[in-house]
Amino acid sequence: MNKKNTLGYAIFNGIERNEYLNELYDALLFNYCRHIFHSSSDKKELDLNDLLRFADLLSKSVNVDNSEMHHSLAQEIVTLLCILEPDNLLVKDTVGAVLSQLNNYLGLSHAAPDYYEPSILERITNEYEKSLLQIPFEQDKYFLRSQKYVYDYMNEEVFFSYSGPTSMGKSFVMRTFIRDKIKKNDNCNFAVIVPTRALINEIFRALAEDMSGILRENDYRIVTSSGNSIVKDKNKHRYIFVMTPERMMYQLIEYPDIPVHYVFIDEAQNISKKDGRSAYYYQIVNMLMQNKTQPHIIFASPHIPNPEVYLGVAAANIEAKSLSSVFTPVSQEKFLIDMNSGTYGYYNPMSAQLKTVGKFPEMSLSMIVDQFGAGKRNLVYCNFKSAVVSSAVRYSKLLRPVNDAELIELAQEIREQVHPDYYLAYTVERGVAFHVGYIPPNIRIRIEELFRKKDGGINVIFCTSTLLEGVNMPADNLFITDYRNGYNPLSDVEFRNLTGRVGRLQYSLYGNVFLICMKDEEISPQSYVELLQSGIKKQTLSVSDLSDEAKQYIVESLTSGTTKLMPLAEQTENDFAFMRKTAGILLRDIMSGRLSMVCQEFESFLLPEKIKAIREIFASRDNEPDDDINVSLDQIDRLNEAIKNGLRYPQIKQYPGEDEDTYHIEYSDVLNFLNRMHEIFDWENYEKSDLGNGNSLKYYARLLLQWLSGGGIKYIIEQSISYHRDKRQRLYISKDNRPIYDGSVEHNNKIIEKCFSDYNRIIDFKLKNYFKRFSDEIKRQFGVESFSNDWYEFIEYGTRNRYRIQLQKDGFSFETASYIYTNRDIYLAKRNCELKVRICLLNCSRISVREEAAIVHNNMPELFIR
């Protein structure tokens, strides 16, 4: 039936353009803005009954393209009225009616828990709808309508892609699906692919906490790295892999015989980014599609209008479903504060206009957060890490230390693990934190937990774009201090994803976003308005956006028998990295006969004679391309030859009588080895900005030695501070500010930030990846599964102590493994030559260790003994 011929279409089509509705809605936003800013100006008069009638009508919208937008508008109206008219019985009744009509039963339990339908027929209808939306195996818990559509498609489709607002609860549906499959004994392995390591920890903990009993009963194990000891048993257990695309690639390389039946690619919009990381998505989907077991692949992304585009990663012209929802169960109200003009106002999304309401006295960012964030959970976004830290410190100076046992203990842990002067310890004691990518995982997790807990002591977090990458925080307010991420403007997707981080359905029905034009900064209100007005553009796949010039260059290079590529004119480092990895995927696909998405994108450049020539040239070589796209074949050739000629990791010396943690490595040996790696992997071409600089290798050699000492980041920081003090070195504060180190707290924190940045970027990412390939090649050439002087393992686990390494392989963090080993007489034991952990660790006095131990115990109960 044509929707245009229905009564619903006649009533609801274009209702959002109704002039009277828009007048009432604008008055509502004005009054709510006045309420938030405690304005003395007169509120706008509006007919409450008429606005409630509109809300009730909008909640019933059907048969028009904008029905979901109407539903969101209906909920927003009643939510704001509930705040402005908390004692009005008619408002309360309409809130219940609207939320019930929209099947937002969780929101209903917050806003109108006593509501019931006025007529028997309505009650019967509502109970029937609730029965359809009931979450399997749960009592009195229900999906949103959009969540139920997603859940059903997950069950029905082999390939499925969906998008929705950030507050839709995409991760919740995924976890529910996994739990239900496990309860039904479907005997499946699952993989959840997330873009960052921070999200690995979040998803791991959410799964472990949501269904710890179910996982143990059904012998499931959560695996976050191919190095985890529990995966060594291969198919002895069932698995849930929670990994970044890169880690999943190595999992599939090392354990191709472990099937994966369901793959969830979260934050799938990252496939559209033209950088080296997006290439991993094509590679892992390629590898999964070659397995004997055909996987179900589900893509989830926020706000994307065309989620079907990501289905192309799996294969072209496949029969698959997609779904894009715009219904948001949580309203996000936007306000603008212009610190230059001293004005404030609100943004009306219906008219796409910014409305100025009044003036306010001159205030700093700290004062704004303090005034509007009092008694609330607040996130403050800054576009640079340095701004995050300095803003958090300035704000904390307004506050006194909080008498909270968990905050006091966390601050003490930070001082012990990092440095006594670290700003984060100072801010945490005052209920404030900052959230940047380099913070040690165990500390970051504790910060997030104390922010999520209703009675947690952290109320304000200053953060960078890590918030864009899927970390879920139940914030009431979000303060945005810049429309950029670093120096680059936020994209439309990034901006919507950022503003969507405020408000969470399990806590409330709304959240406030304060867009701030900082004093004396080149930020105008128009910069924010343009982002608010812009719709989300249709996304494309990054491989489709690869230029014809780059595609032609790749094909011509492969046809001539070379895999060494050089950056094209005006090509950024990210563009070059993506081009290189794409070339690696293409070569592997050609040699193995895989008709992948990447191959199809090169179809017009890959004539049959070129494919034949490429196969003939590379088939005759000693080394064939493999699935590790972190290195190219020219690098592999030089590596294999060097190892055949005797290249090994530097020797580590240990003298008789010394304990396992005491050993000696010559700095000159490490530097010489890095110089050889520089030649083998051609860092001058492939890593120009850091490893490619031969002079920088001297510094990286020292950094590597310090990390291998086993003292963690704290030892690196201590050594760097001592060096600056003894040599009276200058610090880089800014281009025009390079003072001599003076021992101050400020200077110590500059050194701490640099140590964190260099460790994360160089040691824990770049060198680790290259060392992994070196170690894998030694194992391959000598036919061994492991060897004693494996520097990749030493980098991965930050020690060469076999007990601390094993504890980390069993699932403990570096910091907790170090704590357990330090107290090994209490917590460790040997049984049948295997390392075991005593169950008393679950009652450890240190909160972070105790909580981590509980998760590891649920995931690997056989590790623990009494």
Side-chain angles (χ1 to χ4, degrees):
M1 181 180 181
N2 191 332
K3 289 183 179 180
K4 292 185 178 181
N5 297 328
T6 63
L7 179 61
Y9 184 87
I11 295 173
F12 297 114
N13 184 47
I15 191 174
E16 72 278 2
R17 298 190 296 273
N18 181 278
E19 188 175 339
Y20 184 41
L21 168 61
N22 277 273
E23 179 186 326
L24 292 172
Y25 177 67
D26 189 70
L28 175 65
L29 294 181
F30 177 94
N31 292 343
Y32 181 62
C33 179
R34 177 182 170 277
H35 167 79
I36 290 294
F37 285 84
H38 308 291
S39 172
S40 58
S41 61
D42 294 336
K43 68 178 183 179
K44 286 189 176 181
E45 294 298 322
L46 57 81
D47 190 310
L48 182 64
N49 288 337
D50 286 353
L51 188 54
L52 290 173
R53 288 192 189 99
F54 267 119
D56 184 59
L57 186 63
L58 288 163
S59 72
K60 297 177 171 66
S61 176
V62 292
N63 293 336
V64 292
D65 292 340
N66 285 332
S67 284
E68 283 196 321
M69 187 267 276
H70 297 162
H71 298 162
S72 298
L73 180 59
Q75 181 170 300
E76 181 185 10
I77 289 170
V78 295
T79 298
L80 297 186
L81 286 175
C82 200
I83 297 166
L84 298 174
E85 304 283 348
D87 299 320
N88 188 303
L89 295 179
L90 182 58
V91 168
K92 287 184 177 180
D93 194 53
T94 308
V95 168
V98 167
L99 293 177
S100 179
Q101 175 66 33
L102 298 178
N103 307 123
N104 189 347
Y105 298 114
L106 182 56
L108 187 65
S109 68
H110 298 318
D114 299 325
Y115 174 80
Y116 61 92
E117 289 73 14
S119 72
I120 293 176
L121 181 59
E122 286 176 309
R123 289 178 209 168
I124 293 172
T125 302
N126 185 255
E127 287 302 315
Y128 173 70
E129 290 187 348
K130 286 174 79 172
S131 70
L132 296 177
L133 296 173
Q134 184 164 359
I135 297 173
F137 305 107
E138 294 283 0
Q139 289 292 324
D140 300 322
K141 290 185 179 180
Y142 307 93
F143 286 122
L144 295 170
R145 208 175 297 160
S146 56
Q147 290 176 337
K148 183 62 164 62
Y149 292 149
V150 169
Y151 178 84
D152 287 344
Y153 278 133
M154 284 181 177
N155 276 291
E156 296 164 4
E157 301 297 326
V158 175
F159 302 105
F160 175 56
S161 181
Y162 70 102
S163 74
T166 310
S167 56
M168 177 187 178
K170 296 181 289 295
S171 296
F172 164 74
V173 179
M174 176 266 295
R175 293 197 306 273
T176 301
F177 179 85
I178 291 174
R179 184 205 61 188
D180 296 348
K181 284 288 180 184
I182 293 173
K183 279 197 166 188
K184 292 174 183 175
N185 290 314
D186 280 4
N187 212 25
C188 297
N189 291 331
F190 306 89
V192 182
I193 310 302
V194 294
T196 65
R197 285 187 287 181
L199 266 177
I200 288 177
N201 293 322
E202 180 175 318
I203 298 294
F204 177 95
R205 286 181 171 246
L207 288 167
E209 291 168 4
D210 285 356
M211 45 180 140
S212 58
I214 300 169
L215 296 178
R216 291 180 68 175
E217 290 167 12
N218 293 274
D219 195 28
Y220 269 83
R221 301 289 188 268
I222 304 174
V223 180
T224 59
S225 166
S226 60
N228 287 166
S229 56
I230 48 179
V231 81
K232 302 294 182 186
D233 296 329
K234 297 190 176 178
N235 290 306
K236 180 180 178 181
H237 310 285
R238 284 299 179 190
Y239 303 103
I240 304 174
F241 301 102
V242 184
M243 298 181 177
T244 59
E246 185 177 11
R247 288 193 185 189
M248 193 66 206
M249 179 187 75
Y250 284 123
Q251 168 65 33
L252 294 171
I253 290 172
E254 293 171 30
Y255 298 100
D257 52 345
I258 298 181
V260 182
H261 304 89
Y262 285 89
V263 181
F264 299 87
I265 298 180
D266 199 12
E267 303 294 327
Q269 75 278 5
N270 287 288
I271 304 174
S272 294
K273 292 182 178 179
K274 199 165 66 172
D275 59 21
R277 290 190 297 176
S278 75
Y280 294 115
Y281 290 98
Y282 301 101
Q283 180 66 345
I284 62 171
V285 171
N286 255 357
M287 296 170 73
L288 286 162
M289 296 292 285
Q290 303 306 309
N291 285 353
K292 294 178 182 178
T293 303
Q294 173 71 67
H296 296 248
I297 303 179
I298 296 115
F299 301 87
S301 50
H303 304 289
I304 304 302
N306 60 324
E308 66 277 3
V309 69
Y310 300 121
L311 293 168
V313 177
N317 304 317
I318 58 170
E319 290 188 13
K321 296 287 186 180
S322 65
L323 181 148
S324 179
S325 173
V326 298
F327 173 68
T328 173
V330 176
S331 303
Q332 283 103 18
E333 306 305 323
K334 283 87 175 180
F335 306 99
L336 187 124
I337 298 175
D338 189 345
M339 296 171 70
N340 294 295
S341 65
T343 59
Y344 68 89
Y346 63 93
Y347 180 75
N348 183 331
M350 297 286 283
S351 64
Q353 291 181 324
L354 178 68
K355 305 289 187 76
T356 300
V357 173
K359 288 206 166 252
F360 63 90
E362 186 170 334
M363 300 170 70
S364 65
L365 174 63
S366 296
M367 294 168 68
I368 288 172
V369 174
D370 191 54
Q371 176 169 325
F372 298 111
K376 303 287 187 181
R377 288 283 193 270
N378 305 284
L379 294 170
V380 185
Y381 169 78
C382 304
N383 61 320
F384 286 107
K385 294 174 185 176
S386 56
V388 166
V389 176
S390 60
S391 299
V393 172
R394 277 195 298 272
Y395 177 68
S396 297
K397 288 179 178 177
L398 299 177
L399 310 172
R400 294 179 178 178
V402 180
N403 186 22
D404 182 290
E406 287 190 292
L407 292 182
I408 293 169
E409 180 175 325
L410 177 56
Q412 183 59 30
E413 283 190 43
I414 292 169
R415 291 189 172 99
E416 289 176 5
Q417 291 179 23
V418 182
H419 190 273
D421 287 346
Y422 191 29
Y423 281 142
L424 185 59
Y426 173 84
T427 65
V428 161
E429 287 177 328
R430 289 155 176 79
V432 180
F434 47 88
H435 192 288
V436 291
Y438 58 61
I439 292 176
N442 67 314
I443 293 174
R444 187 172 61 237
I445 288 167
R446 291 287 293 132
I447 288 169
E448 292 169 4
E449 287 175 346
L450 290 175
F451 188 79
R452 289 190 187 102
K453 285 171 63 175
K454 284 190 175 181
D455 57 348
I458 292 179
N459 299 309
V460 181
I461 293 182
F462 290 77
C463 59
T464 58
S465 59
T466 53
L467 196 68
L468 296 172
E469 294 165 344
V471 178
N472 292 310
M473 300 285 201
D476 301 300
N477 297 315
L478 170 64
F479 299 86
I480 299 178
T481 66
D482 207 296
Y483 69 95
R484 294 167 296 188
N485 181 2
Y487 291 108
N488 300 315
L490 291 161
S491 69
D492 46 9
V493 176
E494 288 174 332
F495 183 71
R496 295 295 173 87
N497 204 7
L498 176 60
T499 56
R501 294 290 162 194
V502 64
R504 276 294 181 264
L505 184 57
Q506 60 266 45
Y507 302 97
S508 69
L509 289 169
Y510 72 100
N512 299 315
V513 179
F514 296 89
L515 306 167
I516 303 174
C517 296
M518 299 290 286
K519 187 76 171 176
D520 300 325
E521 294 283 341
E522 295 180 0
I523 302 173
S524 69
Q526 189 60 26
S527 301
Y528 288 120
V529 172
E530 288 174 2
L531 279 169
L532 289 164
Q533 289 176 341
S534 67
I536 305 292
K537 302 180 188 69
K538 285 192 173 184
Q539 301 297 294
T540 56
L541 295 176
S542 54
V543 72
S544 301
D545 291 335
L546 197 62
S547 69
D548 285 351
E549 180 189 9
K551 291 176 181 176
Q552 183 71 40
Y553 176 47
I554 289 171
V555 171
E556 292 303 324
S557 296
L558 296 181
T559 306
S560 66
T562 182
T563 58
K564 179 174 180 176
L565 303 181
M566 302 293 288
L568 299 175
E570 299 183 7
Q571 197 171 45
T572 66
E573 192 172 336
N574 278 336
D575 288 342
F576 179 48
F578 179 71
M579 182 178 74
R580 279 193 65 217
K581 288 180 169 59
T582 303
I585 296 171
L586 180 65
L587 178 57
R588 177 65 167 156
D589 288 347
I590 290 172
M591 298 303 292
S592 60
R594 297 192 302 215
L595 186 61
S596 70
M597 168 66 183
V598 172
C599 267
Q600 292 174 57
E601 281 294 330
F602 279 78
E603 192 173 17
S604 60
F605 300 92
L606 278 174
L607 300 176
E609 58 267 25
K610 287 188 180 293
I611 294 175
K612 181 181 178 183
I614 291 169
R615 284 178 177 161
E616 288 176 352
I617 290 172
F618 286 97
S620 63
R621 294 174 61 158
D622 291 338
N623 301 303
E624 291 188 6
D626 57 32
D627 285 318
D628 182 0
I629 60 172
N630 276 322
V631 290
S632 51
L633 197 55
D634 59 295
Q635 295 172 311
I636 295 170
D637 287 342
R638 290 189 295 271
L639 174 62
N640 288 350
E641 189 64 26
I643 291 175
K644 286 177 182 177
N645 291 332
L647 181 63
R648 302 290 183 271
Y649 288 119
Q651 284 301 309
I652 297 175
K653 299 173 185 175
Q654 195 163 26
Y655 300 113
E658 290 182 331
D659 63 36
E660 190 171 358
D661 288 324
T662 304
Y663 43 88
H664 311 274
I665 312 172
E666 294 295 332
Y667 166 76
S668 59
D669 291 344
V670 177
L671 181 57
N672 288 337
F673 182 75
L674 289 185
N675 279 319
R676 286 289 286 122
M677 297 283 276
H678 183 281
E679 297 168 9
I680 291 166
F681 289 110
D682 196 7
W683 287 342
E684 187 174 355
N685 180 42
Y686 296 138
E687 302 286 356
K688 279 187 177 179
S689 63
D690 34 56
L691 294 175
N693 184 339
N695 290 327
S696 296
L697 291 184
K698 297 175 183 178
Y699 168 61
Y700 298 144
R702 292 202 179 278
L703 200 66
L704 179 57
L705 272 174
Q706 290 162 5
W707 177 243
L708 295 180
S709 73
I713 192 68
K714 182 177 183 179
Y715 181 70
I716 292 176
I717 291 166
E718 288 172 346
Q719 291 296 301
S720 185
I721 288 175
S722 295
Y723 175 77
H724 281 80
R725 181 184 61 241
D726 297 343
K727 302 289 186 180
R728 290 182 54 78
Q729 286 291 304
R730 290 187 179 275
L731 290 172
Y732 181 87
I733 306 295
S734 65
K735 185 178 179 181
D736 302 318
N737 186 9
R738 294 176 62 88
I740 293 175
Y741 173 76
D742 62 10
S744 65
V745 171
E746 179 189 1
H747 282 192
N748 283 344
N749 273 273
K750 285 297 178 184
I751 292 173
I752 290 169
E753 287 178 29
K754 178 169 171 50
C755 287
F756 270 130
S757 176
D758 291 343
Y759 162 72
N760 278 278
R761 184 171 51 89
I762 300 300
I763 304 297
D764 197 39
F765 180 60
K766 292 198 171 183
L767 282 182
K768 187 171 74 176
N769 281 341
Y770 284 114
F771 279 38
K772 177 172 176 54
R773 184 66 199 213
F774 189 92
S775 294
D776 288 346
E777 190 54 38
I778 285 180
K779 294 173 188 175
R780 187 190 69 80
Q781 286 196 21
F782 290 91
V784 296
E785 291 188 1
S786 63
F787 58 100
S788 59
N789 193 34
D790 187 348
W791 281 45
Y792 162 71
E793 277 206 345
F794 302 159
I795 290 180
E796 173 76 350
Y797 302 112
T799 179
R800 63 181 297 274
N801 179 291
R802 65 183 186 278
Y803 298 112
R804 290 168 64 188
I805 289 175
Q806 186 57 50
L807 286 167
Q808 290 179 70
K809 288 183 175 181
D810 291 337
F812 291 104
S813 65
F814 171 85
E815 293 77 15
T816 297
S818 300
Y819 177 88
I820 294 170
Y821 182 72
T822 300
N823 298 279
R824 55 190 176 276
D825 292 343
I826 303 172
Y827 299 124
L828 292 181
K830 278 285 192 75
R831 291 290 187 274
N832 299 322
C833 298
E834 290 185 350
L835 187 67
K836 297 292 182 181
V837 177
R838 296 191 185 277
I839 199 74
C840 61
L841 184 67
L842 298 177
N843 299 314
C844 170
S845 60
R846 179 167 287 191
I847 296 172
S848 60
V849 173
R850 189 169 67 237
E851 291 182 350
E852 195 174 307
I855 290 173
V856 175
H857 178 253
N858 282 328
N859 197 44
M860 197 175 177
E862 65 272 17
L863 177 65
F864 290 75
I865 62 169
R866 296 201 175 272

